[in-house]
Amino acid sequence: MATTEKGYRVVPLDDVKVGLSFFPEGEAAGRERLDVRGDLGISAFGINAVRIPGAGALVREHTEVAFGSSGQEELYIVLNGSATFVLDGEEVETAPGSLVYVRPEVRRSAVASDEGTTLLIVGGTPGRAY
């Protein structure tokens, strides 16, 4: 990792520390949640990455309007590999470089189709700083 006094950092994704997973024990074996926001000290928006060495669950099924949710919009960026998203019951296949924007009320989940699939996830609540 490199920190400069110029107000920026350049960090390879492989150097970002692994954070807590939101999957129950035994589910999505090998899945890693990379704590991009915490590692870089980002406070203006939510951003993290998830990756899985084989095929398997990347994003658990959820919406952002349930009790305790922040109502955030999310943008999923497929960095490598591919994933199948289920968005309000509709399956959507994605390839590397795909952008998947999801409004808070949409029920979503994602499963890696290829080994080594990595998603970058950016989120924020409209009208509110993270």
Side-chain angles (χ1 to χ4, degrees):
M1 285 191 238
T3 302
T4 71
E5 293 183 25
K6 296 181 180 181
Y8 63 85
R9 290 178 66 188
V10 177
V11 179
L13 189 57
D14 287 340
D15 288 353
V16 173
K17 70 181 174 207
V18 176
L20 296 174
S21 178
F22 296 110
F23 278 92
E25 188 71 28
E27 197 175 327
R31 178 186 180 273
E32 295 179 324
R33 178 182 161 273
L34 305 171
D35 188 14
V36 175
R37 186 175 69 83
D39 228 30
L40 295 175
I42 296 170
S43 60
F45 53 91
I47 183 167
N48 286 303
V50 293
R51 70 175 161 213
I52 194 160
L58 285 166
V59 177
R60 65 176 173 72
E61 184 177 282
H62 72 287
T63 69
E64 290 293 331
V65 294
F67 179 75
S69 294
S70 64
Q72 73 177 2
E73 299 173 328
E74 292 180 324
L75 176 66
Y76 297 91
I77 304 152
V78 182
L79 296 179
N80 57 15
S82 63
T84 301
F85 283 80
V86 178
L87 306 167
D88 277 345
E90 181 181 345
E91 286 193 10
V92 178
E93 300 292 329
T94 61
S98 296
L99 305 174
V100 180
Y101 165 73
V102 186
R103 293 175 46 99
E105 69 276 6
V106 173
R107 181 160 299 281
R108 83 283 319 251
S109 64
V111 175
S113 305
D114 293 330
E115 289 186 21
T117 298
T118 304
L119 294 179
L120 185 64
I121 305 167
V122 181
T125 303
R128 223 171 60 191
Y130 197 84

